[in-house]
Amino acid sequence: MSANEQHILSYKKAFIVLVLLLILTGLTVVMAEVDLGYLNVVVALALATSKSLLVIMYFMHLQYERPYLKGVVFMTFLLLAIFIGFTFFDVSFRGGS
Amino acid sequence: MSNIHKDYEGAKLGMWLFLFTEILLFGGMFLLYAIYLAKFPSEFHKGGDELDVVIGGVNTVVLLISSFFVAISITAIRLGNKKACLRYVYITIACSLIFLVNKFFEWKAKFSHGIYPDSEHLKELSQGENIFYGLYFLMTGLHGLHVIIGAVVLGFAVYFIQRDKINKEDFVFLENGGLYWHLVDLIWIFLFPLFYLVL
């Protein structure tokens, strides 16, 4: 595939994504004020994750890339999740400190 | 010159692979952050309260807007609108400068309170707070370095666009510069809630 056959992100779509990102940022700040205890971390990370998905899919154009590139990106984040997740298993079951 | 082989897909894949190494680099630091947050929750909370949410918030918005502009600069060049493309890249670079100026004032305020790496004041604080500030300076500092590099790369993009080396047919340099810039934005998306809003 040559460069010219690639999909072009429209101005309108880019702008909608920006507005969504700003709304999610506002929500992140507001939710941090509400005391949800342990859930605060979960909510903040869920919001951050949805923001990064928007950035990756639209601004970084991954939505319109071929499956192999999507697969490679997915594998990277899976790897990251595994090494963070497994370290947590280790730390939380170590006992004492 | 048209017989020079250009591998568009390969150039982009190469950029993504480089970004993965960056993601894993920051991933390692996020891991450190997570472990120490679990170990020193109240100290991290106290440290987070000291950081300026307004500056952090403004910088978040600045980076999101800059990401938007670099994304549409690619749209503009592909539609053959060189002028608009240049304008959008300039705005992105301006955003990076605003970000850095904010960061400068933020760090300056911290320094004047005696909070900087290896300061006497930090040594008197509890271990948890000390680690919090250590990670804060390390991660926002490394992120700031990426902002500077990203801005320089986009500066080169401006040079190439002006000389039509980046054009409607051949824009992968701008696209890869854009990808790098979005990564800078992505990292900040996580740094902001973790440090400024903690949690």
Side-chain angles (χ1 to χ4, degrees):
Chain A
M1 195 174 353
S2 84
N4 277 318
E5 293 160 35
Q6 289 274 323
H7 166 273
I8 302 179
L9 179 73
S10 73
Y11 288 118
K12 196 178 153 199
K13 215 175 231 169
F15 187 71
I16 292 171
V17 171
L18 174 66
V19 172
L20 285 175
L21 284 169
L22 292 176
I23 292 171
L24 287 171
T25 304
L27 207 59
T28 310
V29 177
V30 173
M31 289 310 286
E33 299 298 317
V34 188
D35 189 13
L36 300 170
Y38 175 71
L39 276 180
N40 271 115
V41 187
V42 180
V43 170
L45 286 181
L47 285 168
T49 307
S50 14
K51 281 168 77 181
S52 29
L53 267 177
L54 280 172
V55 172
I56 292 172
M57 281 307 185
Y58 295 99
F59 285 173
M60 293 173 99
H61 212 257
L62 194 66
Q63 174 76 25
Y64 313 103
E65 301 293 352
R66 290 202 290 186
Y68 83 90
L69 194 55
K70 287 183 182 167
V72 175
V73 175
F74 175 74
M75 286 303 289
T76 303
F77 284 101
L78 187 68
L79 190 68
L80 191 67
I82 288 173
F83 91 62
I84 292 184
F86 276 37
T87 311
F88 262 86
F89 286 143
D90 176 37
V91 171
S92 31
F93 293 112
R94 215 179 267 173
S97 60
Chain B
M1 295 290 276
S2 61
N3 59 352
I4 290 179
H5 176 68
K6 293 245 181 193
D7 185 350
Y8 174 75
E9 292 270 332
K12 217 149 83 168
L13 177 63
M15 191 63 197
W16 274 101
L17 289 177
F18 169 65
L19 293 188
F20 298 157
T21 67
E22 295 271 26
I23 289 168
L24 294 179
L25 168 69
F26 277 93
M29 283 185 279
F30 278 113
L31 183 57
L32 268 181
Y33 179 93
I35 300 289
Y36 283 118
L37 174 67
K39 204 171 171 191
F40 302 108
S42 57
E43 286 89 343
F44 268 49
H45 197 92
K46 207 171 146 200
D49 281 344
E50 293 293 313
L51 298 185
D52 194 329
V53 181
V54 177
I55 290 191
V58 168
N59 269 349
T60 308
V61 172
V62 167
L63 275 191
L64 289 175
I65 291 174
S66 71
S67 246
F68 164 74
F69 276 106
V70 86
I72 62 170
S73 78
I74 295 159
T75 309
I77 197 83
R78 300 210 39 204
L79 297 174
N81 194 343
K82 178 179 161 184
K83 241 177 153 176
C85 173
L86 272 175
R87 193 178 333 125
Y88 298 147
V89 180
Y90 284 140
I91 295 174
T92 309
I93 295 174
C95 284
S96 75
L97 295 178
I98 296 172
F99 180 93
L100 290 170
V101 169
N102 277 338
K103 189 101 268 168
F104 168 77
F105 283 113
E106 188 191 343
W107 276 28
K108 202 177 150 213
K110 287 278 158 302
F111 284 15
S112 67
H113 285 100
I115 297 172
Y116 50 88
D118 208 29
S119 74
E120 290 303 319
H121 179 61
L122 273 188
K123 283 177 194 160
E124 290 161 12
L125 292 176
S126 66
Q127 197 195 2
E129 275 176 284
N130 206 341
I131 291 175
F132 176 83
Y133 284 115
L135 283 171
Y136 162 75
F137 281 116
L138 176 65
M139 292 176 80
T140 61
L142 193 64
H143 176 265
L145 191 65
H146 280 75
V147 172
I148 295 170
I149 296 169
V152 171
V153 170
L154 290 175
F156 277 105
V158 166
Y159 179 86
F160 291 138
I161 297 163
Q162 281 169 343
R163 277 154 194 77
D164 289 318
K165 299 252 197 237
I166 293 174
N167 53 53
K168 201 169 183 282
E169 314 290 321
D170 181 5
F171 49 84
V172 76
F173 184 92
L174 182 61
E175 218 177 357
N176 282 347
L179 283 176
Y180 188 83
W181 190 257
H182 295 307
L183 179 88
V184 170
D185 188 22
L186 274 184
I187 292 163
W188 187 260
I189 285 175
F190 284 93
L191 286 181
F192 173 60
L194 288 179
F195 280 101
Y196 294 81
L197 300 176
V198 201
L199 290 184

